Amino acid sequence: MRKLIYGMNVSLDGYIAAPGDDIGWSVPSDELFQFWSDQLQATDLTLYGRKLWQTMSSYWPTGDQQPGATPAEIEFARRWRDMPKVVFSSTVDKVDWNTRLVTGDAVAEITRLKAEDGGPMDIGGATLAGAAMRAGLIDEYVLATAPVVVGGGTSFFTALDSWVNLNLVETRTLPGGVILTRYETRR
């Protein structure tokens, strides 16, 4: 059975994007960027909701060819392109870069994918991760908490019918006052 990991940069007040989908506050330090790149390397499959897919696919397919791309950005772009991906959307009609599109029941498909043999899966996008969270499918949460309060926007967590009890696995302080925390779901 595969492990499902939900991780994002998050504001101190729990948002992954400020109002207007503004993520300008969440630009990672080199160390945090390397952490996310290493996470990608250790992942067998990435699951995206439509909005995050559109954000990622608008830059990373050619991120290694951009003027001034750092070695870490070049490495991430190559890893991203090679990574098998699944996009869940009823409005997107075409995906590229080693990606499969699912237009049906996301929770049923994620449940099926989790039951397969293989390495960890990452899930990204608040709506998609929220559905997986409500279904009890998330095994690990990774939060890179930035020292900023944005006051609203897109929440990292969704409304739940019951608590999710967690065990703290790791805490690390990164440059710029970012606190990285990893939690496993207590089952």
Side-chain angles (χ1 to χ4, degrees):
M1 176 173 255
R2 292 176 163 193
K3 182 181 201 179
L4 184 60
I5 302 166
Y6 176 38
M8 301 280 290
N9 294 340
V10 61
S11 66
L12 185 62
D13 53 345
Y15 295 97
I16 59 174
D21 292 329
D22 182 357
I23 58 172
W25 55 269
S26 69
V27 176
S29 66
D30 290 343
E31 189 175 345
L32 179 56
F33 188 85
Q34 188 63 54
F35 171 82
W36 290 124
S37 186
D38 293 345
Q39 284 285 112
L40 184 65
Q41 179 68 27
T43 302
D44 277 3
L45 180 66
T46 300
L47 313 178
Y48 286 109
R50 177 193 55 82
K51 284 175 74 174
L52 185 56
W53 166 253
Q54 289 174 327
T55 298
M56 297 296 283
S57 67
S58 70
Y59 183 79
W60 289 112
T62 59
D64 57 335
Q65 300 162 22
Q66 301 301 316
T70 66
E73 291 169 333
I74 291 168
E75 176 182 59
F76 185 89
R78 291 178 180 162
R79 287 177 178 173
W80 186 88
R81 272 196 313 268
D82 292 344
M83 168 66 58
K85 297 171 278 300
V86 177
V87 173
F88 294 85
S89 175
S90 59
T91 58
V92 171
D93 56 5
K94 182 182 178 220
V95 293
D96 291 317
W97 309 290
N98 201 21
T99 305
R100 178 173 63 88
L101 179 64
V102 173
T103 58
D105 183 341
V107 170
E109 180 63 9
I110 295 167
T111 301
R112 186 189 72 73
L113 290 168
K114 276 193 65 152
E116 292 179 346
D117 289 333
M121 300 185 301
D122 281 342
I123 188 168
T127 302
L128 180 63
M133 206 180 301
R134 283 187 301 280
L137 297 173
I138 307 289
D139 300 300
E140 184 176 313
Y141 296 85
V142 181
L143 292 85
T145 306
V148 61
V149 176
V150 299
T154 305
S155 180
F156 179 84
F157 293 104
T158 188
L160 298 171
D161 297 327
S162 61
W163 296 358
V164 176
N165 292 307
L166 305 171
N167 292 320
L168 179 64
V169 176
E170 177 184 5
T171 301
R172 188 183 332 167
T173 302
L174 300 175
V178 171
I179 305 296
L180 179 71
T181 50
R182 290 181 41 238
Y183 298 90
E184 287 183 346
T185 301
R186 193 178 320 146
R187 303 215 189 264

